[in-house]
Amino acid sequence: MQSRTAEALAASATDSPVRRLVAPVSALAVLAVATAYTAMADPYRSGFFPPCVFLSASGHWCPGCGGLRAVHELAHGEVGAALALNPVVVLLIVPLGVALALAWVRTAWRGQPPPAIPMWLAISLPAVLLVFWVVRNIPSLEPYLAP
């Protein structure tokens, strides 16, 4: 007896490519709108976006601090400024997100199941974020890694 997941995958494989692309294209559209909003808004203005809860509570930078401003700068083509604000977002999160989104579109077009995140990535990405979190709060490195 097949499981419901196997039946759902078999049914989705027979759907038209347009129907299979609804979910990944919808997700990409939401990300595009959010990025456009971040590009048009001014994340440097106080009160426009909510402050980082961790920074407000502890006074220390979290791995995401500066990420919103980095996306704003990337959307304006300012890669250097984005790197200065949050290098992990620019060098790791955005490229991985784009690669995953493109892989999802490709597999949906072909009628294959969505891409699985490899175990090595599921383990190493949080580890890298944890190391970045600690290192960016070392006082001697803050001038280089703080947003």
Side-chain angles (χ1 to χ4, degrees):
M1 176 178 212
Q2 286 185 332
S3 69
R4 286 179 122 2
T5 306
E7 291 171 3
L9 286 174
S12 69
T14 60
D15 288 343
S16 71
V18 172
R19 189 171 188 160
R20 291 190 307 257
L21 288 172
V22 168
V25 170
S26 297
L28 287 173
V30 168
L31 287 174
V33 168
T35 302
Y37 180 74
T38 304
M40 291 185 293
D42 184 6
Y44 293 97
R45 192 173 74 204
S46 179
F48 195 74
F49 289 101
C52 174
V53 175
F54 184 79
L55 178 62
S56 298
S58 70
H60 296 289
W61 309 108
C62 79
C65 281
L68 189 66
R69 288 174 283 153
V71 170
H72 175 80
E73 295 296 343
L74 280 176
H76 289 274
E78 300 292 336
V79 178
L83 279 168
L85 290 165
N86 194 320
V88 169
V89 166
V90 176
L91 298 174
L92 198 61
I93 303 300
V94 170
L96 282 175
V98 169
L100 184 60
L102 293 176
W104 190 15
V105 169
R106 186 185 72 240
T107 57
W109 179 260
R110 294 178 179 170
Q112 300 169 339
I117 297 174
M119 185 56 71
W120 66 267
L121 183 59
I123 292 171
S124 63
L125 183 60
V128 167
L129 290 175
L130 181 64
V131 169
F132 179 64
W133 194 343
V134 171
V135 170
R136 85 180 316 193
N137 286 295
I138 295 174
S140 60
L141 297 177
E142 272 192 60
Y144 307 106
L145 296 176

